[in-house]
Amino acid sequence: MQIDGKQYLSVWFENERVKMIDQNKLPFEFRIAEYSNYLEICDAIREMTVRGAPAIGAAGAYAIALAAQNAPEEKFRAYLRTARDELIATRPTAIDLRNGVNYVYEQTIKFIPDYRHSRQVAILAAREFAKKSIDDCYQIGKIGSEIVPQGARILTHCNAGALATVDWGTALAVIRIAHQQNKDIFVYVDETRPRFQGARLTAFELEQEGIPHTIITDSASGFYFWKKEIDLVITGADRICLNGDIANKIGTYEKAVLAKEHKVPFYVAAPFSTFDLTTKEGADIPIEIRDEDEIKRINGTYLANPGSPALNPSFDITPAKLITGIITPKGIFKPKDAARQVQI
Ligand SMILES: CSC[C@H]1O[C@H](OP(=O)(O)O)[C@H](O)[C@@H]1O
């Protein structure tokens, strides 16, 4: 992604350290955070310094590579197993995290007790996972742009951009490439309470690339559907089940219901690292419940009644029946057929 004319990835491995754009500071401050051990990356994922399903998948992959560099040889496998389990436990919903961590873990332990080779393979495997994510997201953008009509007004929710992946994005990869194809698109950006990934991160990415857009409150989208100002909805996903149900940022489900009511196509864009072939349907996906203070406070200042409790599920489930198609690196598929593409 271009930031002030310079090319960046959201997360990368350099000089034996994992580096990432601090997404909690954007768009007000551009800061690169860097870590030398996997425990710091566990905190970074929990605190959403890095966030977005494919981005935390890559961060987890690099964290295992870092663990392999630091693991004492006398307990190499046990140290890596602990790192794997602690990283996967940081955020339960996005399946890319488990997929990225497990991929590098499995590749690395194959070479024990050749510890030097294991350490080299760990870094190569993590870099391979991240590079495949970038390539998959670019393909998603190219394939997805085919369903974007000229002059389309597109609603998107949360941030499914380059910041939520390693580069390009998923929903925003489609939007970026449609813009590059001069399709004259306009984007309605849901602010996405309570952490404002839309108002802060999606709006930042779109402004950086000169893509016309407006921020709206989450509750305003219904009004723009009613005004017939939304032609298409494209979101990302955090987990896609065997039957095509998806988990995505809280508020996605209601956009899908509105889209159905107003006969507007609702697409989900995701790489294959977001598919979970071990989960049959959406009801089986663990939903991350985050701290109530994310709702009640901003930067420590209360904006809600301090004495009242708040419920803060970070994701919801959108059933396959509300999804027009799932945009993958291999093509666009009906939800019920998408998971099969991963198996092929
Ligand atoms: C490329 S899809 C990213 C996906 O992850 C976001 O969640 P979070 O910001 O909590 O990591 C959101 O659900 C996006 O759609």
Side-chain angles (χ1 to χ4, degrees), residues 48 51-54 91 157-161 164-165 170 197 236-238 248-249 314-315:
M48 297 174 69
R51 39 63 51 198
R91 295 192 74 192
H157 189 68
C158 197
N159 172 257
T165 61
T170 57
Q197 290 94 322
D238 290 83
N248 197 52
K249 184 52 53 199
S314 196
F315 302 96

